[in-house]
Each structure stands twice: as C-alpha cells, then as structure tokens.
Amino acid sequence: MSENIERRRFLKGMGAASLILGPMGCSSVKDDNEDANKPHYVMVFDQNKCVGCGECKEACNVANNLPDGKSKLLMEHQSGGVEGQACPHCGKEACNCERKFVRVSCQQCKNAPCVAVCPTGAAHKDPKTGIVTMDASKCAGCKYCIGACPYNARFINEETDVADNCDFCLNSKLAKGELPACVQQCKYDALIFGDANDPTSYVNKLLAVKDSVRMKPQFGTEPSLRYIPVVKLGV
Ligand code: SF4
Ligand code: SF4
Ligand code: SF4
C-alpha cells in the first residue's frame, strides 16, 4: 500500500468534519495536570492561512534527509463537496472547489501510545523538551509503535530502518536554536511553534485568544499539535 493511501487513513479516521470548530473540540493553553514550570512545545496549524503550497513538506524532506517517497508531513486537500448535495460555493455536486488544507503529521502526544508500547525505549520522550522522538540505535523495527499510533503518523524510513515521526525537528533544527524547518519555510504564517508554558511566547498568547482543536481528543493522547479550523463568516 502506498504511503499516501496508508497515511490518508489518518484523515479518514478523524473525519474531515472534525476540523469544524465545536465546543467539545476547543482547547485551552494549559493541559490538565501540566507542570507549568516545564516547557510544552506546541505547533499550531492555522487552516485559515494555509494555501496548500506544500513548501513545508519539501523543507522537511530536505532538513531531515528523507528518502524519496517518504515524508514526516503530508498536506491533504479537504473538499467541501458531498455526493448528492450542492456545493454552497459553486452549486455542483461532489465538487473540489473549496481551497481548504489540513496538515497530517505526528501529533506529538503528551500521553504517547507509541512510547508506551515500544519494547526497547527507542520511541521515547526527550527528557529536556518532552518531545516524542526516536533513538535510532535502539529501534528493532518491530513496528509496535506504528500499530499503536491512533493517527497513523509513523512510518518506516527505509534508509535508516527506523520507525520515524515528526519530532518538531528536535535534532535537525531545535538543537541549533532554530525553528522547525516547516515553520521557517511557511510564507503564509500558517504554522506557529513555541513553548505554550512561556507566558511571553507568541504561541501562548495566540492559544489564549484563538479557539483551537485537537484530533481525536477521545483517545486521551493530548496532542501538542493544534488546529485552528477555517471559520466561515455568517454560519
Ligand atoms: S507552507 Fe504554509 S501555506 Fe504552504 S502548505 Fe505548508 S502550511 Fe500551508
Ligand atoms: S501521533 Fe502517533 S507517533 Fe506521534 S506521538 Fe502520538 S502516538 Fe506517537
Ligand atoms: S517539525 Fe520538522 S520534522 Fe516535523 S514536519 Fe516540520 S520540518 Fe518535518
């Protein structure tokens, strides 16, 4: 099965409609039981700003030396068209006219099932930042982490034989004091990254005033990737 089809299960599983803002999906800045003295790195994807150019994905592939056909990040086009219903924009059925995109990547769960099931400790949380990452030298290739991830966000990197995930560019960028490659690359300010526990950070202030949602909150994974869904005026 191709990577794209496999990873599309991510969207199918969470349902495109889950990016519609609802009272149950809204998240505050701080998680329950969170130690506010420790950093909590979050990424915010603002669907209102994303134009679907895909430059974030290309930047990620280069920064993380990913082999052809593999990616830590996919951009999915969400269509507003539904079979049997006229599109509110163009009037056609099952059209593809709505320009709405969604980021598909590791959700950086605070309660990460991939870490819990890994028998070797390869999938782990970086003790300093709390970011879910991999110790390539410990990965046995058993794929338990891939099976345990409710977001289908992990994949085997054939170049390294390691089950890979987006780790917010922990080693490739953050270790050098830089922002993640995708965030640096986005010209449209659709990606925002920072420490949500730092009251002076932009991301802290943004999440305090903007409603955001998390994918599949019912799993209790507490993702650190937040989505600001498209807001339709007059709805
Ligand atoms: S670079 Fe920014 S605007 Fe372009 S697809 Fe990525 S998030 Fe969207
Ligand atoms: S999204 Fe999947 S791979 Fe990423 S931290 Fe959560 S369980 Fe692990
Ligand atoms: S944070 Fe880094 S690893 Fe994750 S999608 Fe962005 S560029 Fe790729």
Side-chain angles (χ1 to χ4, degrees):
M1 190 179 287
S2 81
E3 182 201 11
N4 274 356
I5 294 170
E6 182 72 38
R7 302 278 291 283
R8 267 190 188 124
R9 285 201 203 133
F10 174 100
L11 272 182
K12 200 173 170 207
M14 67 191 178
S18 60
L19 261 196
I20 295 168
L21 195 61
M24 297 304 290
C26 299
S27 309
S28 65
V29 181
K30 193 174 164 301
D31 286 323
D32 293 341
N33 307 316
E34 180 159 82
D35 182 350
N37 295 316
K38 288 189 175 171
H40 179 192
Y41 290 102
V42 301
M43 188 178 288
V44 180
F45 170 75
D46 189 341
Q47 197 180 38
N48 297 277
K49 295 185 176 169
C50 177
V51 300
C53 64
E55 289 187 22
C56 48
K57 179 177 178 244
E58 286 169 30
C60 174
N61 291 2
V62 171
N64 296 292
N65 296 315
L66 294 177
D68 283 350
K70 292 291 174 186
S71 188
K72 298 187 180 206
L73 159 67
L74 300 175
M75 294 305 300
E76 287 282 353
H77 183 200
Q78 273 189 307
S79 166
V82 177
E83 214 65 62
Q85 283 178 28
C87 166
H89 306 286
C90 69
K92 292 182 191 156
E93 264 184 40
C95 70
N96 212 21
C97 77
E98 203 167 6
R99 303 288 295 164
K100 216 161 70 164
F101 300 88
V102 65
R103 177 188 165 103
V104 178
S105 66
C106 172
Q107 302 287 298
Q108 279 297 328
C109 308
K110 289 202 81 189
N111 303 321
C114 59
V115 171
V117 300
C118 179
T120 66
H124 69 286
K125 280 189 162 200
D126 174 55
K128 202 165 150 200
T129 60
I131 291 171
V132 177
T133 187
M134 283 299 280
D135 181 340
S137 68
K138 290 185 180 169
C139 181
C142 65
K143 302 185 184 171
Y144 288 179
C145 57
I146 294 177
C149 173
Y151 303 95
N152 288 310
R154 277 191 183 269
F155 63 96
I156 292 288
N157 179 334
E158 277 92 9
E159 207 124 284
T160 57
D161 275 341
V162 165
D164 236 336
N165 68 308
C166 157
D167 63 358
F168 287 164
C169 289
L170 180 63
N171 298 312
S172 55
K173 296 290 176 189
L174 298 191
K176 299 178 202 160
E178 294 179 35
L179 286 170
C182 55
V183 177
Q184 288 191 46
Q185 187 64 33
C186 181
K187 302 182 187 86
Y188 302 93
D189 296 331
L191 294 169
I192 303 105
F193 178 83
D195 176 6
N197 281 347
D198 176 356
T200 66
S201 71
Y202 180 74
V203 82
N204 175 290
K205 293 180 197 307
L206 181 79
L207 290 173
V209 296
K210 286 266 187 189
D211 285 330
S212 62
V213 294
R214 295 180 189 192
M215 296 304 170
K216 299 185 179 177
Q218 68 274 22
F219 284 99
T221 49
E222 297 192 6
S224 301
L225 184 57
R226 310 279 189 110
Y227 294 79
I228 299 177
V230 165
V231 178
K232 286 185 183 163
L233 295 175
V235 176

